[in-house]
Coordinates of all heavy atoms in Angstrom, one line a residue:
M1 N -1.8 -69.7 105.0 CA -0.5 -70.0 105.2 C 0.4 -69.4 104.0 O -0.1 -69.6 102.9 CB -0.4 -71.6 105.1 CG 1.1 -72.1 105.4 SD 1.3 -73.8 105.4 CE 0.6 -74.3 106.9
S2 N 1.4 -68.8 104.4 CA 2.1 -68.1 103.3 C 3.0 -69.1 102.5 O 3.1 -70.2 103.0 CB 3.2 -67.0 104.1 OG 4.1 -67.8 104.6
L3 N 3.4 -68.6 101.4 CA 4.2 -69.5 100.6 C 5.5 -70.0 101.2 O 5.9 -71.1 101.0 CB 4.6 -68.9 99.3 CG 5.3 -69.7 98.2 CD1 4.5 -70.9 97.8 CD2 5.7 -68.8 97.0
L4 N 6.2 -69.2 102.0 CA 7.4 -69.6 102.8 C 7.1 -70.6 103.6 O 7.8 -71.6 103.8 CB 8.0 -68.3 103.3 CG 9.3 -68.6 104.2 CD1 10.3 -69.0 103.3 CD2 9.7 -67.2 104.9
H5 N 6.1 -70.6 104.5 CA 5.6 -71.6 105.4 C 5.3 -72.8 104.6 O 5.6 -74.0 105.1 CB 4.4 -71.0 106.3 CG 4.8 -70.0 107.2 ND1 4.5 -68.7 107.0 CD2 5.4 -70.0 108.4 CE1 5.0 -68.0 108.0 NE2 5.6 -68.8 108.9
Q6 N 4.6 -72.8 103.5 CA 4.3 -74.1 102.8 C 5.6 -74.7 102.3 O 5.8 -75.8 102.5 CB 3.4 -73.7 101.6 CG 2.0 -73.4 101.9 CD 1.3 -72.9 100.7 OE1 1.8 -72.8 99.6 NE2 0.0 -72.7 100.9
Q7 N 6.4 -73.9 101.7 CA 7.9 -74.6 101.4 C 8.6 -75.2 102.5 O 9.1 -76.3 102.4 CB 8.6 -73.4 100.7 CG 8.1 -73.0 99.3 CD 9.0 -71.9 98.7 OE1 9.7 -71.2 99.3 NE2 8.8 -71.8 97.4
H8 N 8.6 -74.5 103.6 CA 9.3 -74.9 104.9 C 8.6 -76.3 105.3 O 9.3 -77.2 105.6 CB 9.3 -74.0 105.9 CG 9.9 -74.4 107.2 ND1 11.3 -74.5 107.3 CD2 9.5 -74.9 108.4 CE1 11.7 -75.0 108.4 NE2 10.5 -75.1 109.2
A9 N 7.3 -76.4 105.2 CA 6.6 -77.6 105.6 C 6.9 -78.8 104.7 O 7.1 -79.9 105.1 CB 5.1 -77.3 105.6
M10 N 7.0 -78.5 103.3 CA 7.3 -79.6 102.3 C 8.7 -80.1 102.6 O 8.8 -81.4 102.7 CB 7.1 -79.0 101.0 CG 5.8 -78.8 100.5 SD 4.7 -80.0 100.3 CE 5.5 -80.9 99.1
L11 N 9.6 -79.3 102.8 CA 11.0 -79.7 103.1 C 11.1 -80.5 104.4 O 11.9 -81.4 104.5 CB 12.1 -78.5 103.0 CG 12.2 -78.0 101.6 CD1 13.1 -76.6 101.8 CD2 12.8 -79.0 100.7
A12 N 10.4 -79.9 105.5 CA 10.4 -80.6 106.7 C 9.8 -82.1 106.6 O 10.3 -83.0 107.1 CB 9.7 -79.9 107.8
G13 N 8.7 -82.2 105.8 CA 8.1 -83.5 105.7 C 9.0 -84.3 104.8 O 9.2 -85.5 105.1
L14 N 9.8 -83.9 103.9 CA 10.8 -84.6 103.2 C 11.9 -85.1 104.0 O 12.4 -86.3 103.9 CB 11.3 -83.8 101.9 CG 12.3 -84.6 101.0 CD1 11.6 -85.7 100.4 CD2 12.7 -83.6 99.9
A15 N 12.3 -84.3 105.0 CA 13.4 -84.7 105.9 C 12.9 -85.7 106.8 O 13.8 -86.7 107.1 CB 13.7 -83.4 106.7
V16 N 11.7 -86.0 107.1 CA 11.2 -87.0 108.0 C 10.9 -88.2 107.2 O 11.3 -89.2 107.6 CB 9.9 -86.5 108.8 CG1 9.3 -87.6 109.4 CG2 10.2 -85.4 109.7
M17 N 10.2 -88.1 106.0 CA 9.8 -89.3 105.3 C 10.8 -89.8 104.5 O 10.7 -91.0 103.8 CB 8.4 -88.9 104.6 CG 7.3 -88.7 105.5 SD 5.8 -88.1 104.9 CE 5.8 -88.7 103.2
G18 N 11.7 -89.0 103.9 CA 12.7 -89.4 102.9 C 13.9 -90.2 103.4 O 14.0 -90.2 104.6
K19 N 14.6 -90.7 102.4 CA 15.8 -91.6 102.8 C 17.0 -91.0 101.9 O 16.7 -90.6 100.9 CB 15.6 -93.0 102.4 CG 14.4 -93.7 103.3 CD 14.2 -95.2 103.0 CE 13.1 -95.8 103.7 NZ 12.8 -97.1 103.2
P20 N 18.2 -91.1 102.5 CA 19.4 -90.5 101.9 C 19.5 -91.3 100.5 O 19.4 -92.5 100.4 CB 20.5 -91.0 102.8 CG 19.8 -91.1 104.1 CD 18.5 -91.7 103.9
S21 N 19.7 -90.5 99.5 CA 19.6 -90.9 98.0 C 20.7 -90.3 97.3 O 21.4 -89.3 97.6 CB 18.3 -90.8 97.4 OG 17.3 -91.3 98.2
L22 N 21.0 -90.9 96.1 CA 22.0 -90.4 95.1 C 21.3 -90.0 93.9 O 20.5 -90.9 93.4 CB 23.1 -91.4 94.9 CG 23.9 -91.9 96.1 CD1 24.9 -92.9 95.7 CD2 24.6 -90.8 96.8
L23 N 21.6 -89.0 93.2 CA 21.0 -88.6 91.9 C 22.2 -88.5 91.0 O 23.2 -87.6 91.2 CB 20.3 -87.3 92.0 CG 19.6 -86.7 90.9 CD1 18.4 -87.8 90.5 CD2 18.9 -85.4 91.0
E24 N 22.3 -89.4 90.0 CA 23.4 -89.5 89.0 C 24.7 -89.7 89.9 O 25.8 -89.2 89.4 CB 23.6 -88.3 88.1 CG 22.2 -88.2 87.2 CD 22.4 -89.2 86.2 OE1 23.5 -89.7 85.6 OE2 21.3 -89.7 85.7
G25 N 24.7 -90.5 91.0 CA 25.9 -90.7 91.7 C 26.3 -89.7 92.8 O 27.4 -89.8 93.4
V26 N 25.6 -88.6 92.7 CA 26.0 -87.5 93.7 C 24.8 -87.5 94.7 O 23.6 -87.5 94.5 CB 26.0 -86.1 93.0 CG1 26.2 -84.9 93.8 CG2 27.0 -86.2 91.8
A27 N 25.2 -87.3 96.1 CA 24.2 -87.1 97.2 C 23.4 -86.0 96.9 O 23.7 -84.8 96.5 CB 25.0 -86.9 98.5
C28 N 22.0 -86.3 97.1 CA 21.0 -85.3 96.7 C 20.1 -85.1 97.9 O 19.0 -84.6 97.9 CB 20.1 -85.7 95.5 SG 19.2 -87.3 95.8
G29 N 20.6 -85.5 99.1 CA 19.7 -85.3 100.3 C 18.7 -86.6 100.4 O 19.1 -87.5 99.9
K30 N 17.7 -86.3 101.0 CA 16.6 -87.3 101.3 C 15.6 -87.2 100.1 O 15.2 -86.1 99.7 CB 16.0 -87.1 102.6 CG 16.9 -87.5 103.7 CD 16.3 -87.4 105.0 CE 17.0 -88.0 106.1 NZ 16.3 -88.0 107.4
A31 N 15.3 -88.4 99.7 CA 14.1 -88.4 98.6 C 13.1 -89.5 99.2 O 13.4 -90.3 99.9 CB 14.9 -89.0 97.4
N32 N 11.8 -89.1 98.8 CA 10.8 -90.2 99.1 C 10.2 -90.8 98.1 O 9.9 -90.2 97.0 CB 9.8 -89.2 99.9 CG 8.6 -90.1 100.4 OD1 8.8 -91.2 101.0 ND2 7.4 -89.7 100.3
I33 N 10.0 -92.2 98.0 CA 9.4 -93.0 97.1 C 8.0 -93.4 97.5 O 8.0 -93.9 98.7 CB 10.3 -94.1 96.6 CG1 11.6 -93.8 96.2 CG2 9.4 -95.0 95.6 CD1 11.6 -93.0 94.8
E34 N 7.1 -93.1 96.7 CA 5.6 -93.5 97.1 C 5.2 -94.5 96.0 O 5.3 -94.2 94.9 CB 4.7 -92.3 97.0 CG 5.0 -91.2 97.9 CD 4.2 -90.0 97.6 OE1 3.0 -89.9 97.9 OE2 4.8 -89.1 97.0
R35 N 4.8 -95.6 96.4 CA 4.3 -96.7 95.4 C 2.8 -96.6 95.3 O 2.1 -96.3 96.2 CB 4.6 -98.0 96.1 CG 6.1 -98.2 96.4 CD 6.9 -98.7 95.2 NE 8.2 -98.9 95.5 CZ 9.1 -99.4 94.8 NH1 8.8 -99.8 93.6 NH2 10.3 -99.7 95.1
G36 N 2.4 -96.8 94.0 CA 0.9 -97.0 93.8 C 0.2 -95.7 93.9 O -0.9 -95.8 94.4
V37 N 0.7 -94.5 93.5 CA 0.1 -93.2 93.7 C -0.9 -93.0 92.6 O -0.6 -93.3 91.4 CB 1.1 -92.0 93.6 CG1 0.4 -90.8 93.6 CG2 2.1 -92.2 94.8
R38 N -2.2 -92.8 92.9 CA -3.2 -92.5 91.8 C -3.2 -91.1 91.4 O -3.3 -90.1 92.2 CB -4.6 -92.9 92.5 CG -4.8 -94.3 92.8 CD -6.0 -94.4 93.6 NE -6.3 -96.0 93.5 CZ -7.3 -96.6 92.8 NH1 -8.2 -95.8 92.1 NH2 -7.5 -97.8 92.7
V39 N -3.0 -90.9 90.2 CA -2.9 -89.7 89.4 C -4.0 -89.6 88.6 O -4.3 -90.4 87.6 CB -1.6 -89.6 88.7 CG1 -1.6 -88.2 87.9 CG2 -0.5 -89.6 89.5
F40 N -4.9 -88.6 88.7 CA -6.1 -88.3 87.9 C -5.7 -87.6 86.6 O -5.0 -86.6 86.7 CB -7.2 -87.5 88.7 CG -8.3 -87.2 87.9 CD1 -9.4 -88.2 87.7 CD2 -8.6 -86.0 87.4 CE1 -10.5 -88.0 86.9 CE2 -9.7 -85.6 86.6 CZ -10.7 -86.7 86.4
R41 N -6.0 -88.2 85.5 CA -5.8 -87.7 84.1 C -7.1 -87.3 83.6 O -7.9 -88.1 83.4 CB -5.0 -88.8 83.2 CG -3.9 -89.4 83.9 CD -2.7 -88.4 83.8 NE -2.5 -88.2 82.4 CZ -1.7 -87.1 82.1 NH1 -1.0 -86.5 82.9 NH2 -1.5 -87.0 80.7
A42 N -7.2 -86.0 83.2 CA -8.5 -85.5 82.7 C -8.2 -84.8 81.4 O -7.1 -84.3 81.2 CB -9.0 -84.6 83.6
S43 N -9.2 -84.8 80.6 CA -9.1 -84.2 79.2 C -10.1 -83.1 79.3 O -11.2 -83.2 79.7 CB -9.5 -85.2 78.1 OG -9.7 -84.4 77.0
A44 N -9.7 -81.8 78.9 CA -10.5 -80.7 78.9 C -11.5 -80.7 77.8 O -12.6 -80.1 78.0 CB -9.7 -79.4 78.6
E45 N -11.4 -81.5 76.7 CA -12.3 -81.6 75.6 C -13.4 -82.5 75.9 O -14.5 -82.3 75.4 CB -11.6 -81.9 74.3 CG -10.6 -80.8 73.8 CD -9.2 -80.9 74.5 OE1 -8.9 -81.9 74.9 OE2 -8.7 -79.9 74.6
T46 N -13.1 -83.5 76.5 CA -14.1 -84.7 76.7 C -14.1 -85.1 78.2 O -13.3 -84.9 79.0 CB -13.7 -85.9 76.0 OG1 -12.5 -86.4 76.4 CG2 -13.7 -85.7 74.6
D47 N -15.3 -85.5 78.5 CA -15.5 -85.9 79.9 C -15.6 -87.5 80.0 O -15.7 -88.1 81.0 CB -16.6 -85.3 80.7 CG -17.8 -85.4 80.0 OD1 -18.0 -85.9 78.8 OD2 -18.8 -85.0 80.6
Y48 N -15.6 -88.1 78.9 CA -15.9 -89.7 78.9 C -14.5 -90.5 79.0 O -14.5 -91.6 79.2 CB -16.6 -90.1 77.7 CG -16.0 -89.8 76.4 CD1 -15.0 -90.6 75.9 CD2 -16.4 -88.6 75.6 CE1 -14.3 -90.3 74.6 CE2 -15.7 -88.3 74.5 CZ -14.8 -89.1 74.0 OH -14.2 -89.0 72.8
D49 N -13.5 -89.7 78.8 CA -12.1 -90.5 78.9 C -11.3 -90.1 80.0 O -10.1 -90.4 80.0 CB -11.3 -90.4 77.6 CG -10.9 -88.9 77.2 OD1 -11.4 -88.0 77.9 OD2 -10.0 -88.8 76.3
N50 N -11.8 -89.5 80.9 CA -11.1 -89.1 82.2 C -10.9 -90.3 83.0 O -11.8 -91.2 83.3 CB -11.9 -88.1 83.0 CG -12.0 -86.9 82.3 OD1 -11.3 -86.6 81.4 ND2 -13.0 -86.0 82.7
H51 N -9.6 -90.6 83.4 CA -9.3 -91.8 84.2 C -8.2 -91.6 85.2 O -7.6 -90.6 85.2 CB -9.0 -92.9 83.1 CG -7.8 -92.6 82.4 ND1 -7.9 -91.8 81.2 CD2 -6.5 -92.9 82.5 CE1 -6.6 -91.7 80.8 NE2 -5.8 -92.4 81.5
T52 N -8.0 -92.7 86.0 CA -7.0 -92.6 87.2 C -5.9 -93.5 86.7 O -6.2 -94.7 86.2 CB -7.6 -93.0 88.4 OG1 -8.7 -92.1 88.7 CG2 -6.6 -92.9 89.4
V53 N -4.7 -93.1 86.8 CA -3.5 -93.9 86.4 C -2.7 -94.1 87.7 O -2.6 -93.1 88.6 CB -2.6 -93.3 85.4 CG1 -1.5 -94.1 84.9 CG2 -3.5 -92.8 84.2
V54 N -2.0 -95.3 87.9 CA -1.2 -95.5 89.1 C 0.2 -95.6 88.7 O 0.6 -96.3 87.8 CB -1.7 -96.9 89.8 CG1 -0.8 -97.2 91.0 CG2 -3.1 -96.9 90.1
F55 N 1.0 -94.8 89.5 CA 2.4 -94.7 89.2 C 3.2 -94.9 90.5 O 2.7 -94.7 91.6 CB 2.8 -93.2 88.8 CG 2.2 -92.9 87.4 CD1 1.4 -91.8 87.2 CD2 2.7 -93.6 86.3 CE1 0.8 -91.5 86.0 CE2 2.2 -93.2 84.9 CZ 1.3 -92.2 84.8
D56 N 4.6 -95.0 90.4 CA 5.4 -94.7 91.5 C 6.0 -93.4 91.3 O 6.3 -92.9 90.3 CB 6.6 -95.8 91.5 CG 6.1 -97.2 91.8 OD1 5.1 -97.4 92.2 OD2 6.9 -98.2 91.3
V57 N 6.0 -92.6 92.4 CA 6.4 -91.2 92.5 C 7.5 -90.9 93.4 O 7.5 -91.5 94.5 CB 5.2 -90.4 92.8 CG1 5.5 -88.9 93.0 CG2 4.1 -90.5 91.8
A58 N 8.5 -90.2 92.9 CA 9.7 -89.8 93.8 C 9.4 -88.2 94.1 O 9.2 -87.4 93.3 CB 10.9 -90.0 93.1
T59 N 9.7 -87.8 95.4 CA 9.7 -86.4 95.7 C 11.2 -86.1 96.2 O 11.7 -86.7 97.1 CB 8.8 -86.1 96.9 OG1 7.4 -86.6 96.6 CG2 8.8 -84.7 97.2
L60 N 11.7 -85.0 95.5 CA 13.1 -84.6 95.8 C 13.1 -83.2 96.1 O 12.3 -82.4 95.5 CB 14.0 -84.9 94.6 CG 14.1 -86.4 94.2 CD1 13.3 -86.7 93.0 CD2 15.7 -86.7 93.9
A61 N 14.2 -82.7 96.8 CA 14.3 -81.2 97.0 C 14.7 -80.6 95.7 O 15.6 -81.1 94.9 CB 15.4 -80.9 98.0
A62 N 14.1 -79.5 95.2 CA 14.4 -78.8 94.1 C 16.0 -78.3 94.1 O 16.5 -78.3 93.0 CB 13.5 -77.7 93.9
S63 N 16.5 -78.2 95.2 CA 17.9 -77.8 95.3 C 18.8 -78.7 94.8 O 20.0 -78.4 94.4 CB 18.3 -77.3 96.7 OG 18.1 -78.5 97.5
A64 N 18.5 -79.9 94.6 CA 19.2 -81.1 94.1 C 19.3 -81.1 92.5 O 19.9 -81.9 92.0 CB 18.7 -82.4 94.6
S65 N 18.6 -80.2 91.9 CA 18.4 -80.1 90.5 C 18.0 -81.4 89.7 O 18.7 -81.7 88.7 CB 19.8 -79.6 89.8 OG 20.1 -78.3 90.4
P66 N 16.9 -82.0 90.2 CA 16.4 -83.2 89.5 C 16.0 -82.9 88.1 O 15.3 -81.7 88.0 CB 15.5 -83.8 90.4 CG 14.9 -82.6 91.2 CD 16.0 -81.6 91.3
R67 N 16.2 -83.8 87.1 CA 15.6 -83.5 85.9 C 15.2 -84.9 85.3 O 15.6 -85.8 85.6 CB 16.7 -83.0 84.9 CG 17.4 -81.7 85.4 CD 17.3 -80.7 84.3 NE 18.1 -79.4 84.6 CZ 18.0 -78.6 85.6 NH1 16.8 -78.7 86.4 NH2 18.7 -77.5 85.7
V68 N 14.3 -84.8 84.3 CA 13.8 -86.0 83.6 C 15.0 -86.7 83.0 O 15.8 -86.0 82.4 CB 12.7 -85.7 82.6 CG1 12.4 -86.9 81.7 CG2 11.5 -85.2 83.2
G69 N 15.0 -88.1 83.2 CA 16.1 -88.9 82.6 C 17.1 -89.3 83.7 O 17.9 -90.0 83.3
K70 N 17.3 -88.5 84.5 CA 18.3 -88.8 85.8 C 18.0 -90.0 86.4 O 16.9 -90.4 86.5 CB 18.5 -87.6 86.6 CG 19.2 -86.3 85.9 CD 19.7 -85.4 86.9 CE 20.6 -84.3 86.2 NZ 21.2 -83.4 87.2
I71 N 19.1 -90.6 87.0 CA 19.0 -91.9 87.7 C 18.9 -91.6 89.2 O 20.0 -90.9 89.7 CB 20.0 -92.9 87.3 CG1 20.0 -93.2 85.7 CG2 20.0 -94.2 88.2 CD1 18.7 -93.9 85.4
L72 N 18.0 -92.1 89.9 CA 18.0 -92.0 91.4 C 18.3 -93.2 92.0 O 17.6 -94.3 91.9 CB 16.6 -91.4 91.8 CG 16.3 -91.3 93.3 CD1 17.1 -90.2 93.9 CD2 14.8 -91.1 93.4
A73 N 19.3 -93.3 92.8 CA 19.7 -94.4 93.5 C 19.0 -94.3 95.0 O 19.5 -93.4 95.8 CB 21.2 -94.7 93.7
H74 N 18.2 -95.0 95.4 CA 17.4 -95.0 96.6 C 17.5 -96.3 97.5 O 17.6 -97.3 96.7 CB 15.9 -94.6 96.4 CG 15.0 -94.2 97.4 ND1 14.3 -95.3 98.1 CD2 14.7 -93.1 98.1 CE1 13.6 -94.6 99.1 NE2 13.9 -93.3 99.0
P75 N 17.4 -96.3 98.7 CA 17.4 -97.6 99.4 C 16.3 -98.6 98.9 O 16.5 -99.8 99.1 CB 17.1 -97.2 100.9 CG 17.7 -95.8 100.9 CD 17.5 -95.1 99.6
D76 N 15.3 -98.1 98.3 CA 14.1 -99.0 97.9 C 14.4 -99.4 96.5 O 13.7 -100.1 96.0 CB 12.8 -98.2 97.9 CG 12.4 -98.0 99.4 OD1 12.9 -98.6 100.2 OD2 11.4 -97.2 99.5
G77 N 15.4 -99.0 95.8 CA 15.7 -99.3 94.4 C 16.5 -98.3 93.6 O 16.7 -97.3 94.1
T78 N 16.6 -98.6 92.4 CA 17.2 -97.7 91.4 C 16.1 -97.2 90.3 O 15.5 -98.1 89.8 CB 18.4 -98.2 90.6 OG1 19.4 -98.7 91.6 CG2 19.2 -97.2 89.8
F79 N 15.9 -96.0 90.2 CA 14.9 -95.5 89.5 C 15.4 -94.5 88.4 O 16.3 -93.6 88.7 CB 13.8 -94.8 90.3 CG 13.2 -95.7 91.3 CD1 13.9 -95.7 92.6 CD2 12.2 -96.6 91.1 CE1 13.3 -96.6 93.6 CE2 11.7 -97.4 92.1 CZ 12.2 -97.3 93.3
R80 N 14.7 -94.3 87.3 CA 14.8 -93.2 86.3 C 13.7 -92.3 86.5 O 12.5 -92.6 86.6 CB 14.8 -93.7 84.9 CG 15.1 -92.7 83.9 CD 15.2 -93.2 82.5 NE 14.1 -94.2 82.1 CZ 13.0 -93.9 81.6 NH1 12.7 -92.7 81.6 NH2 12.0 -94.8 81.3
L81 N 14.0 -90.9 86.6 CA 12.9 -89.8 86.7 C 12.4 -89.7 85.2 O 13.0 -89.4 84.3 CB 13.6 -88.5 87.1 CG 14.3 -88.5 88.3 CD1 14.9 -87.2 88.7 CD2 13.5 -89.1 89.5
D82 N 11.1 -90.2 85.1 CA 10.4 -90.3 83.9 C 9.6 -89.0 83.5 O 9.7 -88.7 82.3 CB 9.5 -91.5 83.9 CG 8.9 -91.9 82.5 OD1 9.8 -92.1 81.6 OD2 7.7 -92.0 82.4
R83 N 8.9 -88.5 84.3 CA 8.0 -87.3 84.0 C 7.8 -86.4 85.3 O 7.6 -87.0 86.3 CB 6.6 -87.9 83.5 CG 5.8 -86.7 82.9 CD 4.6 -87.3 82.3 NE 3.7 -87.7 83.4 CZ 2.7 -88.5 83.2 NH1 2.2 -89.0 82.0 NH2 1.9 -88.8 84.2
L84 N 7.9 -85.1 85.1 CA 7.6 -84.2 86.1 C 6.2 -84.2 86.3 O 5.4 -83.9 85.4 CB 8.2 -82.8 85.8 CG 8.0 -81.8 86.7 CD1 8.8 -82.0 88.1 CD2 8.4 -80.4 86.2
L85 N 5.7 -84.3 87.6 CA 4.3 -84.3 88.1 C 4.0 -82.9 88.6 O 3.0 -82.4 88.4 CB 4.1 -85.3 89.0 CG 3.6 -86.7 88.5 CD1 3.3 -87.6 89.8 CD2 2.5 -86.6 87.6
E86 N 5.0 -82.4 89.5 CA 4.7 -81.1 90.2 C 6.0 -80.5 90.6 O 7.0 -81.2 91.0 CB 3.8 -81.6 91.4 CG 3.6 -80.3 92.4 CD 2.9 -80.8 93.7 OE1 2.6 -81.9 93.9 OE2 2.5 -79.8 94.3
D87 N 6.1 -79.2 90.5 CA 7.2 -78.4 91.0 C 6.6 -77.2 91.7 O 6.1 -76.2 91.1 CB 8.0 -78.0 89.8 CG 9.3 -77.1 90.2 OD1 9.4 -76.9 91.4 OD2 10.1 -76.8 89.3
N88 N 6.9 -77.2 93.1 CA 6.3 -76.1 93.8 C 7.3 -75.1 94.3 O 7.1 -74.2 95.1 CB 5.6 -76.7 95.1 CG 6.5 -77.4 96.1 OD1 7.6 -77.3 95.9 ND2 5.8 -77.9 97.0
G89 N 8.6 -75.2 93.6 CA 9.7 -74.3 94.0 C 10.7 -74.8 95.0 O 11.8 -74.6 94.9
S90 N 10.1 -75.7 96.0 CA 11.0 -76.2 97.0 C 11.1 -77.7 96.8 O 12.2 -78.3 97.1 CB 10.5 -75.9 98.4 OG 9.2 -76.5 98.6
T91 N 10.2 -78.4 96.3 CA 10.2 -79.8 96.0 C 9.8 -80.2 94.5 O 9.0 -79.4 94.1 CB 9.6 -80.8 96.9 OG1 8.2 -80.4 97.0 CG2 10.0 -80.5 98.3
R92 N 10.1 -81.3 94.0 CA 9.7 -81.8 92.7 C 9.3 -83.0 92.9 O 10.0 -84.0 93.4 CB 10.8 -81.6 91.6 CG 11.1 -80.1 91.3 CD 12.1 -80.0 90.3 NE 12.6 -78.7 90.1 CZ 13.7 -78.3 89.6 NH1 14.6 -79.1 89.1 NH2 14.2 -77.1 89.5
R93 N 8.1 -83.4 92.3 CA 7.6 -84.8 92.3 C 7.6 -85.3 90.8 O 7.2 -84.6 89.9 CB 6.2 -84.8 92.7 CG 6.0 -84.4 94.1 CD 4.7 -84.5 94.7 NE 4.4 -85.9 94.8 CZ 3.1 -86.4 94.9 NH1 2.2 -85.6 94.7 NH2 3.0 -87.7 95.0
Y94 N 8.3 -86.4 90.7 CA 8.4 -87.2 89.4 C 7.8 -88.5 89.5 O 7.9 -89.2 90.4 CB 10.0 -87.3 89.1 CG 10.6 -86.0 88.8 CD1 11.3 -85.3 89.7 CD2 10.8 -85.7 87.4 CE1 11.9 -84.1 89.4 CE2 11.5 -84.4 87.1 CZ 11.9 -83.8 88.1 OH 12.6 -82.7 87.7
V95 N 7.2 -88.9 88.2 CA 6.9 -90.3 88.0 C 8.3 -91.0 87.8 O 9.1 -90.5 87.1 CB 6.0 -90.4 86.8 CG1 5.8 -91.9 86.4 CG2 4.6 -89.9 87.0
V96 N 8.4 -92.2 88.4 CA 9.7 -92.9 88.2 C 9.4 -94.3 87.9 O 8.4 -94.8 88.0 CB 10.5 -93.0 89.7 CG1 10.9 -91.6 90.1 CG2 9.6 -93.6 90.7
V97 N 10.5 -94.8 87.1 CA 10.5 -96.0 86.5 C 11.6 -96.9 87.1 O 12.8 -96.4 87.1 CB 10.5 -96.1 85.0 CG1 10.4 -97.4 84.4 CG2 9.3 -95.3 84.5
S98 N 11.5 -98.1 87.6 CA 12.5 -98.9 88.1 C 13.4 -99.4 87.0 O 13.0 -99.7 85.9 CB 11.8 -100.1 88.8 OG 12.9 -101.0 89.4
V99 N 14.7 -99.2 87.2 CA 15.7 -99.7 86.2 C 16.5 -100.9 86.6 O 17.3 -101.4 85.9 CB 16.6 -98.5 85.9 CG1 15.9 -97.5 85.3 CG2 17.5 -98.1 87.0
A100 N 16.2 -101.4 87.8 CA 16.9 -102.6 88.2 C 15.9 -103.7 88.5 O 14.8 -103.7 88.7 CB 17.7 -102.3 89.5

């Protein structure tokens, strides 16, 4: 699958699964909030301290220019973008922290 098709598929999935949201008070299209996402944290130096951490994760379109520290108002609550997990060019996934 080409990169263009992958990007199109990610945005199509966000359009179906996301809900209209505001980023810093400005409409940012649809955003998806996932609760209890398991993120594997590994250390390259050691193999005895590799563990799994559970976070809430938001997926937003990269065109909305999301950045760490911005506030996302979503129908499921209000969140602060805490840490970037993934940026594939068309969407960005962030660890979010509830602020309300």
Side-chain angles (χ1 to χ4, degrees):
M1 181 181 284
S2 73
L3 183 59
L4 181 61
H5 287 103
Q6 289 175 351
Q7 289 178 341
H8 182 71
M10 291 293 293
L11 290 173
L14 187 59
V16 171
M17 295 173 30
K19 295 180 183 176
S21 301
L22 301 174
L23 189 61
E24 293 290 322
V26 178
C28 64
K30 291 187 175 183
N32 185 42
I33 300 290
E34 302 167 77
R35 304 275 185 171
V37 175
R38 294 175 160 243
V39 177
F40 180 71
R41 304 287 301 172
S43 171
E45 292 83 29
T46 62
D47 57 355
Y48 60 84
D49 66 347
N50 297 340
H51 60 280
T52 303
V53 183
V54 178
F55 294 117
D56 292 338
V57 175
T59 304
L60 298 103
S63 61
S65 298
R67 303 234 190 295
V68 169
K70 288 194 173 186
I71 301 297
L72 175 69
H74 188 271
D76 292 345
T78 303
F79 304 91
R80 180 175 48 85
L81 304 181
D82 189 54
R83 188 175 71 195
L84 180 65
L85 280 181
E86 179 184 3
D87 181 354
N88 67 8
S90 60
T91 60
R92 293 183 188 157
R93 297 183 70 203
Y94 287 89
V95 170
V96 293
V97 178
S98 180
V99 294

